[in-house]
């Protein structure tokens, strides 16, 4: 997320809200905010105007949007709460779970300040557009949810015993949030089985990049795990590649499994470390205006690369993996990615509330619509339930030959390393001649 004067911009974020809480100083209302509290219709019209100007679907889900404005401004509202209810009702006409209204407290919790404390259980969730079920996008590594065994694509059916059927995403997030040291019980449905997880909320610390060397019959293989496209991810990725290069690795395995996304500029920055030239991603708004991000001839390495992906790889992960796949820079191993390629702008409103609006979509260099298709792997490898449990019980196995998807990635990488060595040898011979 990027702070702007008007609020937040979710560049390439996979989920609507994360299950974290923020503690910090209170917020005072400005004169304009007080005015909006006393004039609920002004707030409704502000929301309508933002949707009218920026929403991705110019048909507004086949609604006559001007008639919608008249309908809601012709009503009388006694207070802000009635206006909030009307705004949510108005937004439901768009049938877009990513376009949503947040009351002041909810919006304040989204504005994650660097001085704030993140507490939660470590899962990122969304609402399925078709089924309206609450889905786990991915657990965050080294958090209570991850350690307990919650998986990407799990369906959340209850929170502390309360059914989530018909529950709004914001309400679910608020129920899962809480003070560090307190418990929450999340009931998830996996296949046909319901499982209760009682999790203790804690402070969440995210380290975006981890790396190590795996010794193999063809030499050293550099393994890099990227957990999130945060503001620090690019710097940490650059350091990891530089260090591994200095240690003489022969090739790389980049692990984007269960990476729910993050900042657009972070995904572009990291793509440039692997790609010398070409389009990385195109952003298309409702007018068809295309903004293209390109590589800048500053790749850090041209050594062979394989990328690990799964159903928890979303948004920014799909931008990066799609670019590497389209340019034949890397083969993808694992399972199909999540399929979330929409851009949300999050705006502050006059009374301190907030509005998230879907304003654009992402396309891969070859023009694939990430949101509709996801990114399919070149080589499909599905972990069994036993495989998942083994990796979660002993996280040191992740990114080693005890990890089945890593082992397959190495099989794919091995012949590429041989070709690379042969090519380097031929080049050396030419230079010596």
């Amino acid at each position: 997320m990027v702070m702007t004067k008007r609020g937040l911009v979710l560049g390439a974020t996979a989920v609507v809200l994360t299950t974290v809480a923020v503690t910090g100083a209170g917020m005072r209302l400005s004169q304009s905010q007080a005015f909006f509290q006393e004039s609920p219709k002004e707030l409704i019209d502000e929301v309508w105007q933002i949707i009218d100007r920026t929403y991705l679907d110019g048909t507004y889900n086949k609604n006559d949007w001007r008639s919608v404005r008249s309908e809601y401004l012709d009503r009388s509202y006694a207070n802000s709460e009635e206006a909030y209810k009307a705004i949510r009702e108005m937004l439901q006409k768009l049938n877009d779970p990513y376009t949503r209204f947040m009351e002041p407290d909810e919006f304040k919790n989204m504005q994650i300040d660097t001085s704030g404390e993140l507490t939660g259980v470590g899962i990122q969730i969304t609402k399925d557009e078709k089924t309206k079920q609450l889905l786990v996008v991915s657990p965050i590594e080294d958090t209570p949810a991850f350690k307990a065994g919650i998986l990407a694509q799990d369906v959340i059916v209850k929170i502390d015993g309360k059914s989530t059927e018909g529950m709004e995403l914001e309400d679910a997030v608020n129920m899962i949030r809480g003070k560090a040291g307190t418990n929450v019980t999340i009931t998830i449905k996996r296949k046909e089985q319901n499982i209760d997880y009682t999790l203790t909320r804690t402070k969440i610390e995210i380290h975006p990049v981890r790396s190590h060397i795996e010794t193999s019959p063809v030499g050293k293989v550099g393994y890099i795990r990227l957990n999130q496209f945060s503001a620090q991810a690019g710097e940490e990725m650059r350091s990891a590649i530089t260090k591994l290069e200095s240690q003489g690795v022969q090739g790389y395995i980049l692990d984007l499994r269960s990476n729910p996304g993050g900042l657009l500029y972070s995904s572009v920055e990291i793509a440039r470390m692997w790609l010398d030239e070409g389009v990385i991603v195109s952003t298309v708004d409702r007018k068809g205006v295309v903004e293209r991000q390109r590589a800048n001839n500053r790749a850090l390495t041209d050594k062979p690369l394989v990328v690990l992906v799964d159903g928890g790889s979303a948004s920014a992960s799909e931008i990066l993996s799609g670019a590497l796949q389209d340019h034949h820079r890397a083969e993808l191993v694992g399972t199909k990615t999540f399929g979330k390629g929409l851009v949300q702008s999050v705006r502050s409103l006059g009374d301190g509330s907030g509005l998230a609006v879907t304003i654009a979509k992402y396309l891969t260099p070859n023009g694939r619509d990430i949101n509709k298709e996801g990114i399919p792997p070149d080589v499909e490898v599905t972990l069994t339930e036993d495989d998942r449990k083994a990796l979660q019980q002993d996280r040191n196995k992740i990114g080693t030959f005890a990890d089945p998807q890593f082992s397959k990635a190495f099989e794919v990488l091995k012949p590429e390393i041989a070709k690379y060595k042969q090519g380097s040898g031929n080049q050396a011979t030419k230079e010596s001649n």
Side-chain angles (χ1 to χ4, degrees), residues 261-281:
L263 300 172
L264 172 61
Y265 77 78
S266 179
S267 66
V268 172
E269 181 184 8
I270 290 171
R272 286 171 175 161
M273 298 177 195
W274 301 101
L275 285 170
D276 244 343
E277 58 185 10
V279 173
I280 294 169
V281 64

Side-chain angles (χ1 to χ4, degrees), residues 82-148:
E82 290 186 6
Y84 295 162
K85 182 179 179 181
I87 289 170
R88 288 197 169 99
E89 184 181 295
M90 183 170 68
L91 294 179
Q92 283 178 353
K93 295 179 182 293
L94 301 174
N95 194 30
D96 176 2
Y98 302 114
T99 295
R100 69 205 183 279
F101 173 77
M102 291 161 283
E103 295 185 18
D105 285 345
E106 295 169 338
F107 183 56
K108 184 168 65 175
N109 282 338
M110 277 205 68
Q111 300 177 68
I112 301 173
D113 190 271
T114 54
S115 63
E117 181 184 52
L118 275 62
T119 62
V121 299
I123 55 173
Q124 305 208 14
I125 66 176
T126 189
K127 195 169 187 176
D128 188 273
E129 294 180 64
K130 294 180 180 179
T131 67
K132 307 303 180 184
Q133 293 176 315
L134 295 178
L135 288 180
V136 175
V137 175
S138 69
I140 300 171
E141 194 166 339
D142 290 334
T143 63
F146 181 89
K147 293 174 182 177

Side-chain angles (χ1 to χ4, degrees), residues 230-251:
S230 64
Q232 299 79 25
E235 181 180 347
E236 291 193 18
M237 177 65 71
R238 182 176 299 276
S239 296
I241 295 173
T242 301
K243 182 178 179 180
L244 291 169
E245 283 288 297
S246 70
Q247 293 174 322
V249 298
Q250 303 298 313

Side-chain angles (χ1 to χ4, degrees), residues 61-347:
N61 193 31
K62 299 181 180 178
N63 284 287
D64 183 341
W65 198 241
R66 292 192 177 276
S67 295
V68 170
R69 180 174 185 264
S70 298
E71 175 187 350
Y72 284 91
L73 292 185
D74 284 347
R75 299 181 186 178
S76 296
Y77 303 96
N79 50 47
S80 296
E81 285 67 31
E82 290 186 6
Y84 295 162
K85 182 179 179 181
I87 289 170
R88 288 197 169 99
E89 184 181 295
M90 183 170 68
L91 294 179
Q92 283 178 353
K93 295 179 182 293
L94 301 174
N95 194 30
D96 176 2
Y98 302 114
T99 295
R100 69 205 183 279
F101 173 77
M102 291 161 283
E103 295 185 18
D105 285 345
E106 295 169 338
F107 183 56
K108 184 168 65 175
N109 282 338
M110 277 205 68
Q111 300 177 68
I112 301 173
D113 190 271
T114 54
S115 63
E117 181 184 52
L118 275 62
T119 62
V121 299
I123 55 173
Q124 305 208 14
I125 66 176
T126 189
K127 195 169 187 176
D128 188 273
E129 294 180 64
K130 294 180 180 179
T131 67
K132 307 303 180 184
Q133 293 176 315
L134 295 178
L135 288 180
V136 175
V137 175
S138 69
I140 300 171
E141 194 166 339
D142 290 334
T143 63
F146 181 89
K147 293 174 182 177
I150 291 180
L151 305 175
Q153 304 295 322
D154 280 345
V155 179
I156 300 174
V157 294
K158 291 181 183 179
I159 304 170
D160 280 336
K162 182 176 180 180
S163 172
T164 61
E165 186 175 354
M167 184 180 290
E168 294 296 327
L169 188 67
E170 294 87 351
D171 294 334
V173 170
N174 287 333
M175 288 185 69
I176 295 172
R177 285 180 181 139
K179 294 181 179 179
T182 60
N183 293 339
V184 60
T185 299
I186 298 175
T187 305
I188 66 97
K189 183 177 182 180
R190 186 181 302 152
K191 296 181 180 178
E192 299 304 316
Q193 183 182 10
N194 282 6
I195 309 171
D196 288 334
Y197 291 94
T198 299
L199 307 172
T200 301
R201 301 176 178 100
T202 187
K203 183 177 179 180
I204 306 297
E205 294 182 2
I206 300 174
H207 305 285
V209 176
R210 298 182 181 186
S211 64
H212 67 258
I213 288 176
E214 281 292 300
T215 303
S216 78
V218 295
K220 297 176 180 178
V221 173
Y223 170 81
I224 303 176
R225 181 167 176 80
L226 178 59
N227 294 318
Q228 189 181 64
F229 289 83
S230 64
Q232 299 79 25
E235 181 180 347
E236 291 193 18
M237 177 65 71
R238 182 176 299 276
S239 296
I241 295 173
T242 301
K243 182 178 179 180
L244 291 169
E245 283 288 297
S246 70
Q247 293 174 322
V249 298
Q250 303 298 313
Y252 291 89
I253 295 176
L254 175 61
D255 193 347
L256 299 180
R257 291 175 295 179
S258 295
N259 181 326
L263 300 172
L264 172 61
Y265 77 78
S266 179
S267 66
V268 172
E269 181 184 8
I270 290 171
R272 286 171 175 161
M273 298 177 195
W274 301 101
L275 285 170
D276 244 343
E277 58 185 10
V279 173
I280 294 169
V281 64
S282 300
T283 307
V284 184
D285 65 16
R286 76 178 183 193
K287 296 178 181 179
V289 175
V290 178
E291 180 181 351
R292 292 184 175 90
Q293 300 289 339
R294 295 178 177 273
N296 56 5
N297 296 303
R298 294 182 181 177
L300 300 181
T301 180
D302 65 347
K303 289 177 181 173
L305 171 67
V306 173
V307 180
L308 290 170
V309 294
D310 65 8
S313 307
S315 204
S317 293
E318 295 170 294
I319 289 172
L320 176 58
S321 57
L324 295 174
Q325 187 182 58
D326 280 4
H327 287 294
H328 305 288
R329 175 64 180 90
E331 286 197 65
L332 273 52
V333 172
T335 57
K336 187 176 179 179
T337 63
F338 187 82
K340 200 287 186 179
L342 297 175
V343 189
Q344 277 77 47
S345 170
V346 182
R347 303 284 298 270

